[in-house]
């Protein structure tokens, strides 16, 4: 028996990894694989269905720990889905069958060891040839599509089904006609152990973030004449379905707010159309057992028109710098590390993820702060080495690289030292790129433009004196310039700037395409002229107010995404009711009074934004905001679980706030959600169609004016800095 189990687990590891490799081009997905909101569907009693309601809830019980978004998703998959299939013979192994969408849902929330612990011995893909195993039960986690149902029925019908019994879990609501299709096969019904809607068709990317996996949403919804394509409504409807499953999964009924249209242009109506589609889906969830009948949270729907600077400005956190400056594939990067044997440097593939405590501590800190912290950690380890202590007494200052070599000689700290050394190499590489490309001066000009401290002459002077600056960086600078000073691109002014920056007309087309996202009608211009018209009547010379007095920061840490300001206004009840409409009109008045007190849940936590005291702006402060500090510090190794540590000191929070950005979210916006969760005492969950770094976003903007946009994935231009 022990031998059989061992073989099963080995087979699981090999088959599961093969399955994932066949599904993902992005190898980042493979490393992670590590209700209820479950709706039970009625079938004849002869099918031995289980109809017990789940007791789980996203709201903590009295005295219980608060569970964050991703942890709830993980628990539902492991316990409400896989765990619910366990019968009297709890040691019986089962097979897990998924499609290409649901395997991504699973991989974003669970590790491979997690599903093995739930009695899964083999994972297979629905549409691949599978070996019959009539002595084992199978769990199907699939989308409720006609193709999937037909394949399931072919597996389980007839005299010789592939498996003994099937437990079927759907990722979203299944149409009645498909349920009837299953009922019509009398040979299958007795073999069904469960038939449920899990309502989980979203992809967690962070403890407080998720995607709908619509990487081409910007092109599909905002390109020229996009509304005439059949993909327009398909994209919106699927997006709404997946967002709705978030609320079904967490048993949350939201106030649905959305950015109001400023014109009748179809692109300007995208947020309102998405809001209506989401509300239509959520309204049907009220029939789910224990689903709330009154609003329990907030949902704010916006698109990239609310902030066109956040996706392109250089963000100076460790996380953003890694993905902006390094050649990364997802969360993976290859670095060269010193050889432990003294030979030439060795190549090493690293994964930057939440289960790395050093990454978790440093990702939202300024790159200079991250570098100093790493130096301190290395010094802390080196202090345990007598050779290092002797050199210190001799007055010889040790560099981070010297400390790294000394620390690597400490065998008792092998794993911790290995992680630290990896981050030392990455931070060092980033700092070299910043120095070699003169990125600090460019970053200063970018932020001065945003906050009204720079004008046209500063941009022109920079372009004239920095001819060797990377073309993409010059384009990003001009995109920021166009957002703050749109009148500087009217007529032939844009052409002159293009010539000064030595950019091609194709590159400059990105700037004119920004108006497609801005929502204002296109302006007819003479052939050959370049014109950009946003909302010049309202555009000021400063794009946003300086908030650097909020806390002591490092240089070039002034920038903040507009999402921060919008969410603070939402909590205070100051969000413009004309610019942001609410779908829940019947409950709107009652909600207004509750929005200032914060929660339908009983909580004494304050929800209003505290009054800020003016403090001197430090250009080089060693202090990091409390929201960016790890939950347990020291050397970053004291937390045994990211999800557990996140819930220890935030047991009672107010209502959740969800914000969904159509067209791609940024790392600075995810950082703000973590920050506001701490300051507002309300979990802020960020959702989006995709998660874009500047090169990807610029590529997508270029495609907005392409005629054939469907089906062609964007290939981002990655500048070579080394």
């Amino acid at each position: 028996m022990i031998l059989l189990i061992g073989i099963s687990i080995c087979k699981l590891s090999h088959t599961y990894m093969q399955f994932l490799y066949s599904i993902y081009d992005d190898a980042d997905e493979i490393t992670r694989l590590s209700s209820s909101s479950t709706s039970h569907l009625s079938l004849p009693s002869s099918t031995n269905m289980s109809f017990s309601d789940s007791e789980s809830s996203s709201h903590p019980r009295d005295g219980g720990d608060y569970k964050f978004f991703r942890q709830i998703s993980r628990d539902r998959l492991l316990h409400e889905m896989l765990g619910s299939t366990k019968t009297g013979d709890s040691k019986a192994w089962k097979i897990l069958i998924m499609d290409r969408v649901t395997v991504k849902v699973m991989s974003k929330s669970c590790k491979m060891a997690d599903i093995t612990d739930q009695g899964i011995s083999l994972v297979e893909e629905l549409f691949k040839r599978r070996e019959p195993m009539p002595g084992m039960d199978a769990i199907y986690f699939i989308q409720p599509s006609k193709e999937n149902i037909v394949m399931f029925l072919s597996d389980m019908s007839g005299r010789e089904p592939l498996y003994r019994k099937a437990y079927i879990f759907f990722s979203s609501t299944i149409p009645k006609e498909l349920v009837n299709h299953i009922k019509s096969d009398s040979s299958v019904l007795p073999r069904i152990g469960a038939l449920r809607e899990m309502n989980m068709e979203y992809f967690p990317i962070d403890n407080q973030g998720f995607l709908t996996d619509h990487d081409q949403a910007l092109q599909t919804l905002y390109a020229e004449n996009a509304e005439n394509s059949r993909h327009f409504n398909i994209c919106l409807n699927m997006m709404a379905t997946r967002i709705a499953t978030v609320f079904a999964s967490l048993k949350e009924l939201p106030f649905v707010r959305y950015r109001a249209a400023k014109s009748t242009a179809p692109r300007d109506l995208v947020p309102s159309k998405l809001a209506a589609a989401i509300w239509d889906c959520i309204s049907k969830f009220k029939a789910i057992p224990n689903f709330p009948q009154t609003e329990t949270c907030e949902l704010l729907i916006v698109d990239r028109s609310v902030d066109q600077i956040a996706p392109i400005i250089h963000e100076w956190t460790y996380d953003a710098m890694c993905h902006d400056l390094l050649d990364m594939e997802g969360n993976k990067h290859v670095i060269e590390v010193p050889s432990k044997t003294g030979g030439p440097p060795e190549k090493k593939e690293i994964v930057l993820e939440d289960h790395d405590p050093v990454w978790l501590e440093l990702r939202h800190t300024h790159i200079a702060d991250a570098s100093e912290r790493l130096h301190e950690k290395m010094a802390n380890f080196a202090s345990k080495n007598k050779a290092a202590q002797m050199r210190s007494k001799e007055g010889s200052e040790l560099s981070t690289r010297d400390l790294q070599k000394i620390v690597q000689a400490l065998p008792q700290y092998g794993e911790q030292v290995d992680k630290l050394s990896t981050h030392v190499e990455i931070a060092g590489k980033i700092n070299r790129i910043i120095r070699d490309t003169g990125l600090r001066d460019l970053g200063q000009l970018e932020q001065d433009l945003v906050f009204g401290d720079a004008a046209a002459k500063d941009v022109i002077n920079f372009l004239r004196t920095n001819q060797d600056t990377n073309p993409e960086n010059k384009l990003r600078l001009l995109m920021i310039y166009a957002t703050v000073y749109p009148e500087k691109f009217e007529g032939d002014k844009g052409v002159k700037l293009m010539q000064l920056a030595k950019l091609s007309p194709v590159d400059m087309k990105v700037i004119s395409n920004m108006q497609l996202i801005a929502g204002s009608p296109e302006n007819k211009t003479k052939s050959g002229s370049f014109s950009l018209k946003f909302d010049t009547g309202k555009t000021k010379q400063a794009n946003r107010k300086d908030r650097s007095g909020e806390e002591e920061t490092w240089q070039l840490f002034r920038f903040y995404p507009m999402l921060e300001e919008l969410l603070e206004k939402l909590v205070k009840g100051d969000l413009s009711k004309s610019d942001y409409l609410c779908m829940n009109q019947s409950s709107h008045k009652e909600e207004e009074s509750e929005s200032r007190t914060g929660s339908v849940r009983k909580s004494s936590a304050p929800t209003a934004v505290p009054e800020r005291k003016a403090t001197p702006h430090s250009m080089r402060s060693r202090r990091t905001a409390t929201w960016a500090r790890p939950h347990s510090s020291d050397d970053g190794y004291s937390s045994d679980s990211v999800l557990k540590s996140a819930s220890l000191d935030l047991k009672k929070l107010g209502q959740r706030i969800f914000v969904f950005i159509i067209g791609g979210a940024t790392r600075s916006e995810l950082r703000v959600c973590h920050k506001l969760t701490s300051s507002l005492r309300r979990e802020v969950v960020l959702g989006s169609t995709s998660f874009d770094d500047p090169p990807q976003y610029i590529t997508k903007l270029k495609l907005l004016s392409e005629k054939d946009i469907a089906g062609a994935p964007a290939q981002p231009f990655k500048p070579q800095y080394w």
Side-chain angles (χ1 to χ4, degrees):
M1 179 64 182
I2 295 175
L3 177 61
L4 287 175
I5 292 175
I7 293 173
S8 296
I9 293 176
C10 291
K11 189 175 183 181
L12 166 64
S13 301
H14 177 70
T15 306
Y16 197 18
M17 294 305 289
Q18 277 190 330
F19 175 43
L20 289 176
Y21 273 111
S22 70
I23 289 178
Y24 299 129
D25 291 328
D26 184 357
D28 173 49
E29 302 290 349
I30 303 169
T31 62
R32 284 198 196 86
L33 196 66
S34 6
S35 58
S36 108
S37 317
T38 307
S39 200
H40 299 258
L41 304 172
S42 298
L43 288 177
S45 57
S46 60
T47 59
N48 298 319
M49 295 292 292
S50 170
F51 289 96
S52 59
D53 292 335
S54 166
E55 294 298 327
S56 76
S57 172
S58 65
H59 303 174
R61 304 293 186 190
D62 292 340
D65 285 345
Y66 185 93
K67 290 186 177 181
F68 276 84
F69 168 75
R70 191 185 222 169
Q71 186 178 5
I72 294 170
S73 302
R74 176 182 179 273
D75 289 349
R76 292 199 60 232
L77 288 169
L78 294 179
H79 305 302
E80 294 183 27
M81 186 176 76
L82 301 183
S84 68
T85 64
K86 293 181 179 179
T87 57
D89 185 9
S90 59
K91 295 182 180 180
W93 292 91
K94 292 183 177 65
I95 301 167
L96 177 61
I97 301 166
M98 297 181 284
D99 58 34
R100 290 177 175 266
V101 170
T102 53
V103 75
K104 293 182 72 175
V105 174
M106 180 71 75
S107 70
K108 294 290 187 179
S109 298
C110 306
K111 288 187 173 182
M112 188 171 161
D114 296 331
I115 66 169
T116 306
D117 291 342
Q118 294 300 319
I120 303 300
S121 63
L122 184 64
V123 178
E124 297 204 271
E125 184 183 352
L126 180 64
F127 282 93
K128 285 194 174 180
R129 186 178 180 87
R130 286 169 276 126
E131 180 183 350
M133 295 186 179
M136 296 184 69
D137 294 344
I139 300 172
Y140 286 79
F141 180 35
I142 55 178
Q143 289 181 289
S145 67
K146 183 178 180 180
E147 295 78 11
N148 286 355
I149 298 300
V150 169
M151 182 59 68
F152 160 71
L153 291 176
S154 69
D155 287 350
M156 298 302 297
S157 63
R159 293 183 178 181
E160 297 181 356
L162 291 185
Y163 313 108
R164 179 176 58 192
K165 183 175 288 187
Y167 299 84
I168 309 100
F169 298 89
F170 295 110
S171 57
S172 57
T173 304
I174 180 171
K176 289 183 179 179
E177 57 268 23
L178 293 182
V179 176
N180 292 332
H181 189 36
I182 296 174
K183 289 182 180 181
S184 65
D185 194 326
S186 58
S187 66
V188 172
L189 291 181
R191 298 164 183 162
I192 296 178
L195 189 68
R196 304 178 187 173
E197 293 169 341
M198 279 300 292
N199 289 313
M200 289 194 66
E201 204 168 297
Y202 55 88
F203 311 95
I205 55 164
D206 182 84
N207 206 24
Q208 294 170 228
F210 71 92
L211 298 178
T212 60
D213 200 28
H214 289 93
D215 192 59
Q216 296 185 55
L218 200 67
Q219 304 100 290
T220 304
L221 301 176
Y222 292 90
E224 293 176 334
N225 302 316
E227 65 277 7
N228 297 328
S229 169
R230 65 183 181 88
H231 297 287
F232 185 88
N233 287 328
I234 293 174
C235 179
L236 274 178
N237 291 333
M238 184 177 293
M239 197 185 304
T241 297
R242 291 182 176 176
I243 295 169
T245 66
V246 171
F247 298 98
S249 185
L250 273 65
K251 282 193 176 176
E252 296 269 22
L253 179 61
F255 283 103
V256 181
R257 289 185 175 83
Y258 58 93
R259 181 190 64 76
K262 298 177 182 178
S263 71
T264 57
R267 290 184 296 271
D268 211 16
L269 296 170
V270 169
S272 62
K273 289 185 176 182
L274 179 60
I278 292 172
W279 183 246
D280 182 59
C281 293
I282 291 176
S283 298
K284 298 173 184 176
F285 291 150
K286 290 187 177 182
I288 295 177
N290 302 323
F291 192 83
Q293 302 301 302
T294 57
E295 288 78 1
T296 61
C297 65
E298 309 263 9
L299 169 62
L300 179 63
I301 301 171
V302 298
D303 59 10
R304 282 268 50 110
S305 67
V306 300
D307 190 351
Q308 297 212 62
I309 292 180
I312 53 177
I313 195 170
H314 284 89
E315 166 84 353
W316 289 77
T317 60
Y318 184 41
D319 181 9
M321 288 274 106
C322 285
H323 289 85
D324 193 357
L325 302 185
L326 303 182
D327 186 17
M328 296 190 66
E329 293 185 6
N331 286 338
K332 284 193 171 186
H333 180 59
V334 177
I335 60 172
E336 288 188 348
V337 296
S339 173
K340 295 180 180 179
T341 59
E346 301 172 352
K347 289 189 176 182
K348 178 182 177 181
E349 185 178 77
I350 54 96
V351 181
L352 302 176
E353 60 180 355
D354 290 355
H355 295 282
D356 177 354
V358 180
W359 171 253
L360 190 67
E361 177 186 349
L362 300 180
R363 61 176 179 166
H364 290 151
T365 62
H366 190 284
I367 180 61
D369 189 15
S371 300
E372 290 205 5
R373 287 196 193 193
L374 288 169
H375 181 88
E376 290 174 357
K377 289 178 185 296
M378 281 294 185
N380 181 39
F381 277 117
S383 66
K384 301 168 186 176
N385 182 280
K386 292 183 179 180
Q389 293 174 8
M390 291 297 295
R391 287 185 60 181
S392 180
K393 289 179 180 179
E394 294 169 1
S396 175
E397 184 176 352
L398 299 176
S399 67
T400 303
R401 179 55 64 88
D402 293 333
L403 291 171
Q404 183 181 2
K405 291 179 180 178
I406 293 171
V407 168
Q408 284 177 337
L410 302 175
Q412 66 269 39
Y413 302 109
E415 183 179 353
Q416 299 176 15
V417 168
D418 187 53
K419 285 186 179 295
L420 278 178
S421 296
T422 295
H423 288 283
V424 167
E425 290 295 330
I426 294 173
K429 191 173 185 179
I430 291 172
N431 284 319
R432 287 193 297 273
I433 293 172
I434 292 172
R435 181 182 63 250
D436 295 345
T437 60
L439 199 57
R440 190 180 302 275
D441 292 337
L442 175 62
Q444 187 67 61
L445 178 56
E446 289 177 347
Q447 300 207 13
D448 286 346
L449 277 172
V450 171
F451 293 105
D453 297 330
K457 63 179 182 180
D458 301 293
V459 175
I460 293 172
N461 183 59
F462 179 87
L463 294 175
R464 282 176 175 169
T465 57
N466 295 273
Q467 294 286 332
D468 295 334
T469 299
N470 183 275
E472 186 196 353
N473 284 340
K474 289 189 283 188
L475 176 58
R476 288 164 68 171
L477 175 64
L478 289 182
M479 291 170 73
I480 296 172
Y481 184 39
T483 305
V484 183
Y485 293 90
E487 69 278 3
K488 300 298 183 181
F489 286 76
E490 295 178 4
D492 62 349
K493 295 179 183 177
V495 176
K496 292 179 179 179
L497 283 170
M498 177 187 73
Q499 294 171 346
L500 178 61
K502 296 183 178 179
L503 296 176
S504 69
V506 175
D507 289 331
M508 293 298 287
K509 186 67 175 176
V510 172
I511 297 178
S512 61
N513 284 349
M514 291 169 70
Q515 70 185 3
L516 296 174
I517 297 176
S520 56
E522 293 186 44
N523 296 291
K524 301 293 182 180
T525 58
K526 295 181 180 179
S527 177
S529 65
F530 184 89
S531 178
L532 179 68
K533 281 278 191 178
F534 295 117
D535 195 353
T536 55
K538 294 184 179 180
T539 303
K540 297 181 180 179
Q541 300 306 296
N543 185 266
R544 58 202 73 190
K545 296 179 181 178
D546 195 341
R547 310 173 88 186
S548 55
E550 179 178 332
E551 58 195 26
E552 292 188 61
T553 61
W554 291 78
Q555 187 179 15
L556 298 177
F557 217 15
R558 297 167 68 191
F559 177 79
Y560 63 92
M562 292 304 298
L563 188 65
E564 181 173 358
E565 194 171 283
L566 287 174
L567 291 174
E568 287 178 344
K569 287 181 178 180
L570 174 66
V571 170
K572 292 191 293 184
D574 292 341
L575 197 64
S576 170
K577 294 178 178 59
S578 59
D579 292 336
Y580 294 90
L581 306 180
C582 183
M583 293 294 299
N584 319 47
Q585 294 300 334
S586 59
S587 305
H588 189 46
K589 291 184 179 180
E590 179 183 345
E591 169 271 338
E592 285 180 1
S593 61
E594 290 176 351
S595 66
R596 296 179 181 273
T597 57
S599 179
V600 172
R601 309 172 201 167
K602 294 180 180 179
S603 173
S604 58
T607 58
V609 181
E611 183 180 351
R612 300 188 182 88
K613 296 180 181 179
T615 56
H617 176 53
S618 171
M619 298 303 287
R620 188 167 176 77
S621 168
R622 292 292 307 282
R623 294 167 55 190
T624 301
T626 54
W627 59 267
R629 293 174 186 157
H631 296 287
S632 46
S633 53
D634 191 25
D635 284 312
Y637 297 101
S638 53
S639 60
D640 57 352
S641 168
V642 173
L643 297 179
K644 275 188 178 179
S645 64
S647 63
L648 291 179
D649 55 357
L650 292 171
K651 292 185 178 181
K652 291 185 178 180
L653 298 181
Q655 289 184 321
R656 282 190 179 91
I657 301 173
F658 296 84
V659 57
F660 189 84
I661 304 176
I662 306 167
T666 69
R667 298 183 187 279
S668 62
E669 286 160 341
L670 183 59
R671 170 174 60 86
V672 159
C673 290
H674 282 272
K675 172 184 176 181
L676 292 180
T677 294
S678 178
S679 63
L680 301 178
R681 302 294 295 175
R682 298 174 67 175
E683 183 184 2
V684 182
V685 179
L686 174 66
S688 185
T689 50
S690 59
F691 206 59
D692 295 330
D693 297 308
Q696 285 85 358
Y697 185 75
I698 290 173
T699 300
K700 290 179 180 181
L701 278 179
K702 286 182 181 179
L703 292 176
L704 290 187
S705 55
E706 297 292 330
K707 291 183 179 180
D708 185 15
I709 61 169
Q715 298 296 327
F717 166 71
K718 289 290 285 186
Q720 298 298 315
Y721 289 102
W722 56 89

